[in-house]
Amino acid sequence: LRIWALRARDLPSSWPLGSRSRSPYMDVSLETEQWQTSVVYHSTSPEWNEKHDFLVFDKRQEVGIRVCDSKSLFLRNVIAAAPPIPVDDLVFQSEQEVELLNCDHGDDVVSPVHPSSSSPAGTAVLRFEWLNFVRPGRRGPDSRHLLRVKLDEIVVPTELLDVQKATVLDPTLVKMRAKVREVTKDTPAVAWFPADSSMGEASASGTNVGTVELDLEHTLFLLINAVDLDAGALELELRNGNDKILGSAQIKISDVLAAGGMKWRDNRRLALKHATGKCLADVEVSIQGLRLAQECVTGF
């Protein structure tokens, strides 16, 4: 889903006390992902014409629209907001005026709007565009492409885990991070703890150093730019709960595209190298191009 923040009109001119002018930006959210436009200084009718792409997984997801003041004297800097819009209804709202409601009653930037207790506070205009997938492993006509990283089992040397402190109540946490330039995604953390206390003591003393197998079972989706298909690299980092890197690897995106996707599994796992050893990971990487939908469709 591509969202263009076009403009807002007739925003409240100032806070109730004082005559300080507004310097607004738009905050758009879809579930846990948020995006902010640039700031337009000293305006109550700002123009942005900026865009951001979101991945939509369910038609029940909702888009949140808020206009905030970058020079707010308060922690709660929301000037106005619209009631959440289900993604199924976006095609009817594209380039239409969306009514904004006053947030002086105390809602912050992540709180829902309560229409029954809010007064009008101007309008906002956004454009909503759906993008379709082309065949897997191919470039698309759009500048954005979807990089899919499927992770399964990870084998980690116990010497890289803090086995001295790990217990059932306080396990060691491990997660995988995938990034391409500034685009970064993390898997949820998985927990590891020794099967019994004697194993932890033996591993910690170095008399029985082995490996443990962690089941991540997660797929990460990264929206990347077309330039990254030729010159970019996917960086994978296995990290513990303290964000310390346990192992890392780099994969050329051009190699993935040329091969139509790449897999490292079973006896040919991807090596995540560390100064004192390496971890092994079941990884599958693929690329899919995007194109703008020919018609107004919801994508579901």
Side-chain angles (χ1 to χ4, degrees):
L1 173 64
R2 176 165 293 160
I3 297 181
W4 289 81
L6 299 181
R7 59 187 175 272
R9 290 288 182 268
D10 303 321
L11 298 173
S13 60
S14 66
W15 292 96
L17 298 177
S19 58
R20 185 178 52 83
S21 62
R22 298 292 194 187
S23 292
Y25 63 90
M26 186 176 288
D27 179 283
V28 181
S29 62
L30 180 70
E31 296 298 321
T32 58
E33 185 176 357
Q34 281 187 287
W35 166 64
Q36 295 177 353
T37 67
S38 60
V39 175
V40 177
Y41 293 95
H42 312 302
S43 176
T44 56
S45 293
E47 302 248 359
W48 291 289
N49 292 314
E50 297 175 11
K51 65 181 179 179
H52 184 76
D53 296 335
F54 292 88
L55 284 171
V56 180
F57 297 95
D58 194 301
K59 64 182 179 180
R60 292 169 295 183
Q61 289 178 281
E62 295 179 327
V63 172
I65 302 167
R66 300 167 180 85
V67 179
C68 307
D69 188 355
S70 66
K71 292 186 176 180
S72 172
L73 300 177
F74 307 97
L75 292 177
R76 294 186 175 92
N77 63 342
V78 182
I79 302 171
I85 305 174
V87 295
D88 243 3
D89 296 338
L90 293 178
V91 291
F92 308 110
Q93 301 285 350
S94 186
E95 298 194 62
Q96 303 296 312
E97 288 192 342
V98 176
E99 184 181 15
L100 298 175
L101 303 173
N102 199 300
C103 292
D104 282 346
H105 51 73
D107 279 348
D108 61 24
V109 73
V110 296
S111 298
V113 177
H114 308 290
S116 60
S117 61
S118 301
S119 58
T123 59
V125 177
L126 301 92
R127 181 188 305 140
F128 303 102
E129 298 174 339
W130 288 102
L131 292 93
N132 292 335
F133 294 107
V134 302
R135 291 180 61 183
R138 294 192 177 184
R139 294 173 183 261
D142 194 78
S143 63
R144 302 282 271 172
H145 289 68
L146 184 70
L147 181 66
R148 175 179 174 268
V149 183
K150 186 178 184 297
L151 302 156
D152 200 348
E153 293 179 347
I154 310 291
V155 178
V156 186
T158 52
E159 61 187 8
L160 296 180
L161 301 174
D162 198 353
V163 294
Q164 288 182 321
K165 298 180 180 179
T167 65
V168 174
L169 298 178
D170 186 19
T172 293
L173 299 178
V174 176
K175 66 181 179 182
M176 185 74 82
R177 174 169 296 171
K179 60 181 180 180
V180 177
R181 299 186 193 272
E182 74 281 358
V183 182
T184 302
K185 297 285 185 179
D186 288 354
T187 67
V190 295
W192 175 85
F193 48 83
D196 56 60
S197 59
S198 62
M199 173 187 160
E201 291 170 2
S203 298
S205 65
T207 59
N208 187 27
V209 175
T211 60
V212 295
E213 206 167 85
L214 304 167
D215 203 352
L216 284 178
E217 280 193 8
H218 196 81
T219 302
L220 297 172
F221 298 93
L222 290 79
L223 283 168
I224 63 174
N225 296 315
V227 65
D228 295 319
L229 300 180
D230 300 313
L234 168 65
E235 297 178 50
L236 294 176
E237 297 175 346
L238 189 66
R239 293 173 174 254
N240 64 13
N242 297 321
D243 232 21
K244 178 183 177 181
I245 298 177
L246 304 178
S248 63
Q250 192 174 85
I251 303 166
K252 289 185 178 180
I253 297 176
S254 59
D255 292 345
V256 177
L257 186 63
M262 302 179 76
K263 295 181 181 181
W264 294 266
R265 300 190 65 84
D266 302 324
N267 295 327
R268 186 178 170 269
R269 287 172 164 157
L270 180 67
L272 305 172
K273 296 180 181 179
H274 186 271
T276 60
K278 65 180 180 181
C279 308
L280 299 173
D282 285 339
V283 182
E284 182 178 336
V285 183
S286 60
I287 296 171
Q288 204 160 0
L290 298 168
R291 63 168 177 262
L292 280 174
Q294 295 287 326
E295 302 174 355
C296 291
V297 294
T298 61
F300 297 99

